[in-house]
């Protein structure tokens, strides 16, 4: 069955949920791609998101893999356009308006009001993911370790992700 | 002598004006392509290094303003910044060149990863490595969230709005748009302009 219309619908919808960051869309991405359309499993979704953090550029390029699996190269392209198109257009239009309403006092109110909500959405996405990714003491230790190292030292986060891959390979290999 | 200085200053202004007018679509595409290829571990510092420090296409103040707009609107910081900077330099075409440039390298890489993972994803060593990677990603998001909280949350009530959002999505299983509208409106009303700001605006 041709999945492309469904892919476009789902990812165009997810696109407008990415307020504050891609993670904000993660809870609904899980419901729609894993539970409703069954394009991939929850562990696969977690893996793709995490691997995507190692790639350069925008950190949600992993979405195209879901399109690739469900609809080949055309599927990947459709997902990219659906996921990045609507917000690109919105930003383009709103930014031009935004400059015009510089004096409007509600502008600051909107920005101040959206900040806690967008951070909350990121955190909600993080918890959804943690439910699948943090499976025991070892994985919890890696997550906390990464957080502490980033707070204390100026390290490139991508290096920590690579390091955790190596650590994982030694720790989680079935005996 | 002050005359010479004034002339020099005028000359410099003219130079910088032409410099920003001369940026071609190809240059925009190439610069964002480079950022898209080397920005391991987060795009924002690379964007600043390239657009502000290296090319002088925008100044630091503009950069911060654009970043705050990018953060408030839906969309990733990386792609929203590409749209804003591209638009500033060359209008709509500039935006398109910038967003394609910044997405292309990571896109090609992830496409390859997708093919590889589909074939080898169930090998024991791949699963084991990915388990570590996923745990690290959780730590990474927490770090991002903490950084943003420190920077943009003002006062205890903001933490209440943040907690409300988390509970609505994770516990009450409300959809993200509904949560965004309901909690967002509450928070915006809470931060409504006070009288003094309104007076300032009308002055």
């Amino acid at each position: 069955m041709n999945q492309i219309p469904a892919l476009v619908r789902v990812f165009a919808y997810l696109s407008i949920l990415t307020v504050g960051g891609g993670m904000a869309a993660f809870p609904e991405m899980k419901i729609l791609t894993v539970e409703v359309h069954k394009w991939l499993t929850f562990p696969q979704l977690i893996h793709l998101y995490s691997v995507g953090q190692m790639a350069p550029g925008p950190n949600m390029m992993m979405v195209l893999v879901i399109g690739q699996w469900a609809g080949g190269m055309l599927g990947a392209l459709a997902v990219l356009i659906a996921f990045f198109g609507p917000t690109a257009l919105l930003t383009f239009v709103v930014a031009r308006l935004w400059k015009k309403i510089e004096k409007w006092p509600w502008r600051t109110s909107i920005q101040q009001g959206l900040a806690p909500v967008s951070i909350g959405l990121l955190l909600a996405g993080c918890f959804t993911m943690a439910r699948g990714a943090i499976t025991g003491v070892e994985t919890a230790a890696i997550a906390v370790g990464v957080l502490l190292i980033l707070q204390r030292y100026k390290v490139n986060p991508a290096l920590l992700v690579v390091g955790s891959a190596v650590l994982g390979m030694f720790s989680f290999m079935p005996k | 002598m002050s005359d010479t200085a004034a002339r020099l200053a005028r000359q410099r202004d003219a130079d910088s004006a032409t410099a920003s007018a001369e940026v071609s679509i190809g240059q925009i595409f190439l610069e964002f392509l480079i950022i898209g290829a080397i920005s391991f571990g987060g795009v924002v510092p690379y964007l600043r290094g390239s657009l502000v420090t290296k090319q002088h296409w925008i100044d630091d103040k503009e950069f911060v303003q654009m970043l705050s707009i990018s953060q408030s609107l839906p969309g990733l910081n990386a792609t929203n910044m590409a749209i804003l900077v591209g638009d500033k330099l060359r209008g709509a075409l500039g935006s398109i060149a910038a967003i394609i440039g910044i997405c292309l390298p990571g896109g090609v890489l992830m496409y390859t990863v997708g093919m590889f993972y589909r074939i080898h994803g169930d090998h024991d060593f791949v699963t084991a490595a990915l388990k570590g990677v996923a745990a690290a990603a959780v730590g990474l998001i927490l770090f991002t969230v903490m950084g943003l909280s420190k920077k943009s949350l003002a006062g205890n009530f903001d933490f209440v709005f943040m907690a409300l959002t988390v509970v609505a999505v994770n516990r009450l299983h409300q959809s993200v748009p509904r949560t965004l509208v309901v909690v967002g409106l509450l928070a915006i009303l809470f931060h409504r302009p006070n009288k003094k700001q309104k007076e300032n605006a009308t002055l």
Side-chain angles (χ1 to χ4, degrees):
Chain A
M1 204 180 74
N2 185 7
Q3 295 288 331
I4 295 198
L7 284 169
V8 171
R9 244 189 351 261
V10 166
F11 282 93
Y13 169 68
L14 292 174
S15 167
I16 49 169
L17 305 186
T18 54
V19 186
M23 225 332 103
F26 197 77
E28 302 235 345
M29 189 181 290
K30 184 206 163 201
I31 295 172
L32 289 172
T33 62
V34 174
E35 288 159 24
V36 177
H37 290 283
K38 300 185 171 58
W39 286 318
L40 74 178
T41 66
F42 187 39
Q44 283 175 329
L45 180 65
I46 290 175
H47 288 165
L48 284 183
Y49 174 83
S50 317
V51 171
Q53 302 313 297
M54 284 192 273
N59 66 351
M60 292 296 285
M61 295 309 290
M62 47 74 65
V63 292
L64 71 84
V65 180
I66 302 176
Q68 180 195 39
W69 291 356
M73 195 180 260
L74 211 60
L77 206 62
V79 163
L80 274 190
I81 293 169
F83 191 69
F84 291 108
T87 54
L89 200 64
L90 189 77
T91 302
F92 188 80
V93 175
V94 173
R96 290 185 167 199
L97 290 175
W98 202 242
K99 273 182 212 136
K100 287 190 191 147
I101 58 167
E102 205 163 350
K103 291 267 164 65
W104 192 44
W106 281 92
R107 199 185 102 152
T108 323
S109 307
I110 294 173
Q111 260 184 322
Q112 283 176 341
L114 282 183
V117 183
S118 65
I119 293 170
L121 288 179
L122 290 183
L123 204 55
C126 182
F127 288 151
T128 301
M129 183 159 151
R131 241 174 263 156
I134 308 299
T135 48
V137 184
E138 298 94 337
T139 41
I142 292 177
V144 173
V146 166
L147 175 64
L148 291 180
I149 291 171
L150 283 172
Q151 280 185 319
R152 188 151 281 240
Y153 307 101
K154 232 185 143 153
V155 203
N156 189 322
L159 285 178
L160 292 178
V161 180
V162 175
S164 304
V166 177
L167 201 63
M169 232 187 298
F170 286 110
S171 318
F172 306 128
M173 274 292 268
K175 302 278 160 2
Chain B
M1 198 157 126
S2 68
D3 197 43
T4 334
R7 208 183 314 128
L8 274 176
R10 224 177 300 133
Q11 180 67 40
R12 204 168 46 231
D13 283 350
D15 279 351
S16 71
T18 44
S20 70
E22 262 171 19
V23 180
S24 72
I25 300 288
Q27 273 174 296
I28 297 174
F29 175 74
L30 187 67
E31 197 58 36
F32 278 90
L33 187 75
I34 295 172
I35 299 170
I38 61 169
S39 56
F40 290 94
V43 184
V44 172
Y46 294 90
L47 279 170
R48 180 183 240 134
S50 158
L51 303 172
V52 181
T53 315
K54 183 177 143 206
Q55 300 285 1
H56 303 290
W57 285 346
I58 50 175
D59 60 35
D60 222 25
K61 203 175 144 220
E62 268 179 303
F63 184 83
V64 173
Q65 278 170 348
M66 285 178 172
L67 196 60
S68 109
I69 298 176
S70 300
Q71 191 69 45
S72 305
L73 289 175
L76 312 181
N77 280 341
T79 50
N80 281 353
M81 284 298 283
I83 294 291
L84 295 179
V85 177
D87 184 29
K88 197 228 155 186
L89 296 172
R90 287 300 296 263
L93 273 180
S95 292
I96 294 170
I99 195 172
I100 294 178
I102 204 168
C103 286
L104 198 58
V108 172
L109 185 67
M110 283 313 289
Y111 196 86
T112 321
V113 167
M115 290 196 293
F116 180 85
Y117 179 79
R118 206 173 190 192
I119 304 166
H120 302 287
D122 51 355
H123 287 204
D124 283 343
F125 76 95
V126 177
T127 317
L130 288 175
K131 216 172 154 184
V133 170
V138 171
L140 212 66
I141 310 161
L142 281 176
F143 177 70
T144 308
V145 167
M146 290 175 84
L148 282 173
S149 310
K150 245 181 257 161
K151 206 174 64 185
S152 39
L153 293 194
N156 292 333
F157 264 97
D158 273 355
F159 284 96
V160 174
F161 293 128
M162 186 184 83
L164 267 178
T165 309
V166 175
V167 171
V169 174
N170 283 141
R171 290 274 141 225
L172 308 175
H173 301 289
Q174 295 297 312
S175 72
V176 172
R178 187 178 292 170
T179 310
L180 193 62
V181 169
V182 174
V183 187
L185 274 181
L186 279 176
I188 290 170
L189 284 176
F190 178 80
H191 285 287
R192 70 190 172 277
N194 55 33
K195 263 208 179 116
K196 207 171 148 203
Q197 281 168 306
K198 273 190 191 149
E199 277 160 17
N200 281 346
T202 45
L203 280 177

PDB file of all heavy atoms in Angstrom, chain B residues 102-123:
ATOM      1  N   ILE B 102      21.848  23.464   4.836  1.00  0.00           N
ATOM      2  CA  ILE B 102      22.113  22.987   6.198  1.00  0.00           C
ATOM      3  C   ILE B 102      21.570  21.574   6.407  1.00  0.00           C
ATOM      4  O   ILE B 102      22.075  20.827   7.251  1.00  0.00           O
ATOM      5  CB  ILE B 102      21.566  23.993   7.250  1.00  0.00           C
ATOM      6  CG1 ILE B 102      22.324  23.834   8.567  1.00  0.00           C
ATOM      7  CG2 ILE B 102      20.080  23.829   7.488  1.00  0.00           C
ATOM      8  CD1 ILE B 102      22.073  24.941   9.568  1.00  0.00           C
ATOM      9  N   CYS B 103      20.551  21.186   5.621  1.00  0.00           N
ATOM     10  CA  CYS B 103      19.956  19.850   5.799  1.00  0.00           C
ATOM     11  C   CYS B 103      20.675  18.757   5.002  1.00  0.00           C
ATOM     12  O   CYS B 103      20.625  17.580   5.367  1.00  0.00           O
ATOM     13  CB  CYS B 103      18.491  19.859   5.377  1.00  0.00           C
ATOM     14  SG  CYS B 103      17.400  20.690   6.538  1.00  0.00           S
ATOM     15  N   LEU B 104      21.298  19.148   3.892  1.00  0.00           N
ATOM     16  CA  LEU B 104      21.791  18.150   2.941  1.00  0.00           C
ATOM     17  C   LEU B 104      22.803  17.152   3.517  1.00  0.00           C
ATOM     18  O   LEU B 104      22.581  15.939   3.421  1.00  0.00           O
ATOM     19  CB  LEU B 104      22.355  18.883   1.708  1.00  0.00           C
ATOM     20  CG  LEU B 104      22.514  18.052   0.440  1.00  0.00           C
ATOM     21  CD1 LEU B 104      21.192  17.438   0.010  1.00  0.00           C
ATOM     22  CD2 LEU B 104      23.081  18.904  -0.692  1.00  0.00           C
ATOM     23  N   PRO B 105      23.908  17.621   4.140  1.00  0.00           N
ATOM     24  CA  PRO B 105      24.906  16.635   4.596  1.00  0.00           C
ATOM     25  C   PRO B 105      24.344  15.650   5.625  1.00  0.00           C
ATOM     26  O   PRO B 105      24.496  14.429   5.465  1.00  0.00           O
ATOM     27  CB  PRO B 105      26.003  17.508   5.212  1.00  0.00           C
ATOM     28  CG  PRO B 105      25.811  18.858   4.619  1.00  0.00           C
ATOM     29  CD  PRO B 105      24.347  19.005   4.412  1.00  0.00           C
ATOM     30  N   GLY B 106      23.664  16.166   6.651  1.00  0.00           N
ATOM     31  CA  GLY B 106      23.085  15.291   7.668  1.00  0.00           C
ATOM     32  C   GLY B 106      22.041  14.355   7.066  1.00  0.00           C
ATOM     33  O   GLY B 106      21.913  13.203   7.478  1.00  0.00           O
ATOM     34  N   GLY B 107      21.291  14.861   6.091  1.00  0.00           N
ATOM     35  CA  GLY B 107      20.270  14.051   5.434  1.00  0.00           C
ATOM     36  C   GLY B 107      20.870  12.866   4.702  1.00  0.00           C
ATOM     37  O   GLY B 107      20.407  11.728   4.838  1.00  0.00           O
ATOM     38  N   VAL B 108      21.929  13.134   3.922  1.00  0.00           N
ATOM     39  CA  VAL B 108      22.595  12.050   3.188  1.00  0.00           C
ATOM     40  C   VAL B 108      23.166  11.023   4.172  1.00  0.00           C
ATOM     41  O   VAL B 108      23.022   9.811   3.999  1.00  0.00           O
ATOM     42  CB  VAL B 108      23.715  12.609   2.277  1.00  0.00           C
ATOM     43  CG1 VAL B 108      24.535  11.490   1.664  1.00  0.00           C
ATOM     44  CG2 VAL B 108      23.116  13.495   1.190  1.00  0.00           C
ATOM     45  N   LEU B 109      23.771  11.540   5.247  1.00  0.00           N
ATOM     46  CA  LEU B 109      24.350  10.650   6.259  1.00  0.00           C
ATOM     47  C   LEU B 109      23.266   9.764   6.890  1.00  0.00           C
ATOM     48  O   LEU B 109      23.422   8.533   6.987  1.00  0.00           O
ATOM     49  CB  LEU B 109      25.043  11.494   7.330  1.00  0.00           C
ATOM     50  CG  LEU B 109      25.809  10.720   8.395  1.00  0.00           C
ATOM     51  CD1 LEU B 109      27.006  10.025   7.771  1.00  0.00           C
ATOM     52  CD2 LEU B 109      26.281  11.645   9.508  1.00  0.00           C
ATOM     53  N   MET B 110      22.154  10.377   7.292  1.00  0.00           N
ATOM     54  CA  MET B 110      21.097   9.597   7.948  1.00  0.00           C
ATOM     55  C   MET B 110      20.450   8.612   6.978  1.00  0.00           C
ATOM     56  O   MET B 110      20.011   7.533   7.371  1.00  0.00           O
ATOM     57  CB  MET B 110      20.030  10.521   8.553  1.00  0.00           C
ATOM     58  CG  MET B 110      20.420  11.190   9.860  1.00  0.00           C
ATOM     59  SD  MET B 110      21.145  10.095  11.090  1.00  0.00           S
ATOM     60  CE  MET B 110      19.730   9.119  11.588  1.00  0.00           C
ATOM     61  N   TYR B 111      20.392   8.977   5.703  1.00  0.00           N
ATOM     62  CA  TYR B 111      19.842   8.051   4.707  1.00  0.00           C
ATOM     63  C   TYR B 111      20.692   6.780   4.656  1.00  0.00           C
ATOM     64  O   TYR B 111      20.188   5.667   4.634  1.00  0.00           O
ATOM     65  CB  TYR B 111      19.796   8.734   3.334  1.00  0.00           C
ATOM     66  CG  TYR B 111      18.910   8.008   2.351  1.00  0.00           C
ATOM     67  CD1 TYR B 111      17.549   8.274   2.300  1.00  0.00           C
ATOM     68  CD2 TYR B 111      19.426   7.050   1.483  1.00  0.00           C
ATOM     69  CE1 TYR B 111      16.712   7.609   1.423  1.00  0.00           C
ATOM     70  CE2 TYR B 111      18.597   6.373   0.591  1.00  0.00           C
ATOM     71  CZ  TYR B 111      17.243   6.666   0.568  1.00  0.00           C
ATOM     72  OH  TYR B 111      16.416   5.993  -0.302  1.00  0.00           O
ATOM     73  N   THR B 112      22.010   6.977   4.673  1.00  0.00           N
ATOM     74  CA  THR B 112      22.933   5.839   4.666  1.00  0.00           C
ATOM     75  C   THR B 112      22.797   5.031   5.950  1.00  0.00           C
ATOM     76  O   THR B 112      22.753   3.796   5.919  1.00  0.00           O
ATOM     77  CB  THR B 112      24.387   6.346   4.528  1.00  0.00           C
ATOM     78  OG1 THR B 112      24.400   7.441   3.611  1.00  0.00           O
ATOM     79  CG2 THR B 112      25.305   5.253   4.062  1.00  0.00           C
ATOM     80  N   VAL B 113      22.723   5.750   7.077  1.00  0.00           N
ATOM     81  CA  VAL B 113      22.552   5.072   8.368  1.00  0.00           C
ATOM     82  C   VAL B 113      21.273   4.233   8.356  1.00  0.00           C
ATOM     83  O   VAL B 113      21.254   3.089   8.821  1.00  0.00           O
ATOM     84  CB  VAL B 113      22.501   6.108   9.530  1.00  0.00           C
ATOM     85  CG1 VAL B 113      22.020   5.458  10.820  1.00  0.00           C
ATOM     86  CG2 VAL B 113      23.857   6.733   9.736  1.00  0.00           C
ATOM     87  N   GLY B 114      20.208   4.805   7.782  1.00  0.00           N
ATOM     88  CA  GLY B 114      18.927   4.095   7.717  1.00  0.00           C
ATOM     89  C   GLY B 114      19.039   2.775   6.970  1.00  0.00           C
ATOM     90  O   GLY B 114      18.492   1.752   7.399  1.00  0.00           O
ATOM     91  N   MET B 115      19.772   2.789   5.853  1.00  0.00           N
ATOM     92  CA  MET B 115      19.939   1.549   5.079  1.00  0.00           C
ATOM     93  C   MET B 115      20.765   0.530   5.855  1.00  0.00           C
ATOM     94  O   MET B 115      20.439  -0.645   5.908  1.00  0.00           O
ATOM     95  CB  MET B 115      20.604   1.873   3.735  1.00  0.00           C
ATOM     96  CG  MET B 115      19.691   2.645   2.800  1.00  0.00           C
ATOM     97  SD  MET B 115      20.242   2.646   1.083  1.00  0.00           S
ATOM     98  CE  MET B 115      21.736   3.599   1.187  1.00  0.00           C
ATOM     99  N   PHE B 116      21.842   1.021   6.488  1.00  0.00           N
ATOM    100  CA  PHE B 116      22.724   0.138   7.247  1.00  0.00           C
ATOM    101  C   PHE B 116      21.984  -0.469   8.439  1.00  0.00           C
ATOM    102  O   PHE B 116      22.034  -1.677   8.682  1.00  0.00           O
ATOM    103  CB  PHE B 116      23.942   0.942   7.739  1.00  0.00           C
ATOM    104  CG  PHE B 116      24.919   0.129   8.538  1.00  0.00           C
ATOM    105  CD1 PHE B 116      25.901  -0.618   7.903  1.00  0.00           C
ATOM    106  CD2 PHE B 116      24.861   0.127   9.926  1.00  0.00           C
ATOM    107  CE1 PHE B 116      26.792  -1.368   8.649  1.00  0.00           C
ATOM    108  CE2 PHE B 116      25.744  -0.632  10.674  1.00  0.00           C
ATOM    109  CZ  PHE B 116      26.716  -1.383  10.030  1.00  0.00           C
ATOM    110  N   TYR B 117      21.247   0.377   9.141  1.00  0.00           N
ATOM    111  CA  TYR B 117      20.546  -0.067  10.355  1.00  0.00           C
ATOM    112  C   TYR B 117      19.489  -1.103  10.003  1.00  0.00           C
ATOM    113  O   TYR B 117      19.240  -2.043  10.755  1.00  0.00           O
ATOM    114  CB  TYR B 117      19.906   1.138  11.043  1.00  0.00           C
ATOM    115  CG  TYR B 117      19.126   0.823  12.307  1.00  0.00           C
ATOM    116  CD1 TYR B 117      19.785   0.617  13.509  1.00  0.00           C
ATOM    117  CD2 TYR B 117      17.737   0.739  12.289  1.00  0.00           C
ATOM    118  CE1 TYR B 117      19.080   0.335  14.667  1.00  0.00           C
ATOM    119  CE2 TYR B 117      17.022   0.453  13.442  1.00  0.00           C
ATOM    120  CZ  TYR B 117      17.691   0.250  14.621  1.00  0.00           C
ATOM    121  OH  TYR B 117      16.994  -0.030  15.765  1.00  0.00           O
ATOM    122  N   ARG B 118      18.864  -0.948   8.849  1.00  0.00           N
ATOM    123  CA  ARG B 118      17.818  -1.884   8.453  1.00  0.00           C
ATOM    124  C   ARG B 118      18.393  -3.289   8.241  1.00  0.00           C
ATOM    125  O   ARG B 118      17.750  -4.292   8.541  1.00  0.00           O
ATOM    126  CB  ARG B 118      17.170  -1.403   7.159  1.00  0.00           C
ATOM    127  CG  ARG B 118      15.759  -1.918   7.069  1.00  0.00           C
ATOM    128  CD  ARG B 118      15.044  -1.331   5.900  1.00  0.00           C
ATOM    129  NE  ARG B 118      13.629  -1.672   6.015  1.00  0.00           N
ATOM    130  CZ  ARG B 118      12.762  -1.503   5.058  1.00  0.00           C
ATOM    131  NH1 ARG B 118      13.162  -1.004   3.910  1.00  0.00           N
ATOM    132  NH2 ARG B 118      11.505  -1.841   5.231  1.00  0.00           N
ATOM    133  N   ILE B 119      19.632  -3.331   7.742  1.00  0.00           N
ATOM    134  CA  ILE B 119      20.253  -4.640   7.472  1.00  0.00           C
ATOM    135  C   ILE B 119      20.933  -5.197   8.727  1.00  0.00           C
ATOM    136  O   ILE B 119      20.813  -6.376   9.039  1.00  0.00           O
ATOM    137  CB  ILE B 119      21.299  -4.505   6.328  1.00  0.00           C
ATOM    138  CG1 ILE B 119      20.620  -3.900   5.087  1.00  0.00           C
ATOM    139  CG2 ILE B 119      21.916  -5.856   6.004  1.00  0.00           C
ATOM    140  CD1 ILE B 119      21.603  -3.406   4.039  1.00  0.00           C
ATOM    141  N   HIS B 120      21.664  -4.322   9.449  1.00  0.00           N
ATOM    142  CA  HIS B 120      22.501  -4.801  10.555  1.00  0.00           C
ATOM    143  C   HIS B 120      21.979  -4.421  11.941  1.00  0.00           C
ATOM    144  O   HIS B 120      22.635  -4.687  12.939  1.00  0.00           O
ATOM    145  CB  HIS B 120      23.925  -4.255  10.408  1.00  0.00           C
ATOM    146  CG  HIS B 120      24.566  -4.627   9.110  1.00  0.00           C
ATOM    147  ND1 HIS B 120      25.004  -5.904   8.833  1.00  0.00           N
ATOM    148  CD2 HIS B 120      24.810  -3.904   7.993  1.00  0.00           C
ATOM    149  CE1 HIS B 120      25.503  -5.940   7.599  1.00  0.00           C
ATOM    150  NE2 HIS B 120      25.396  -4.740   7.062  1.00  0.00           N
ATOM    151  N   GLY B 121      20.796  -3.803  11.994  1.00  0.00           N
ATOM    152  CA  GLY B 121      20.299  -3.262  13.263  1.00  0.00           C
ATOM    153  C   GLY B 121      20.079  -4.299  14.344  1.00  0.00           C
ATOM    154  O   GLY B 121      20.068  -3.975  15.530  1.00  0.00           O
ATOM    155  N   ASP B 122      19.895  -5.558  13.943  1.00  0.00           N
ATOM    156  CA  ASP B 122      19.605  -6.553  14.981  1.00  0.00           C
ATOM    157  C   ASP B 122      20.845  -7.342  15.406  1.00  0.00           C
ATOM    158  O   ASP B 122      20.743  -8.292  16.164  1.00  0.00           O
ATOM    159  CB  ASP B 122      18.489  -7.517  14.512  1.00  0.00           C
ATOM    160  CG  ASP B 122      18.778  -8.108  13.155  1.00  0.00           C
ATOM    161  OD1 ASP B 122      19.787  -7.710  12.543  1.00  0.00           O
ATOM    162  OD2 ASP B 122      18.001  -8.974  12.706  1.00  0.00           O
ATOM    163  N   HIS B 123      22.033  -6.948  14.912  1.00  0.00           N
ATOM    164  CA  HIS B 123      23.248  -7.593  15.414  1.00  0.00           C
ATOM    165  C   HIS B 123      23.431  -7.239  16.887  1.00  0.00           C
ATOM    166  O   HIS B 123      23.130  -6.121  17.287  1.00  0.00           O
ATOM    167  CB  HIS B 123      24.483  -7.122  14.631  1.00  0.00           C
ATOM    168  CG  HIS B 123      24.533  -7.698  13.250  1.00  0.00           C
ATOM    169  ND1 HIS B 123      25.696  -7.835  12.542  1.00  0.00           N
ATOM    170  CD2 HIS B 123      23.562  -8.176  12.445  1.00  0.00           C
ATOM    171  CE1 HIS B 123      25.438  -8.375  11.357  1.00  0.00           C
ATOM    172  NE2 HIS B 123      24.133  -8.577  11.272  1.00  0.00           N
TER     173      HIS B 123
END
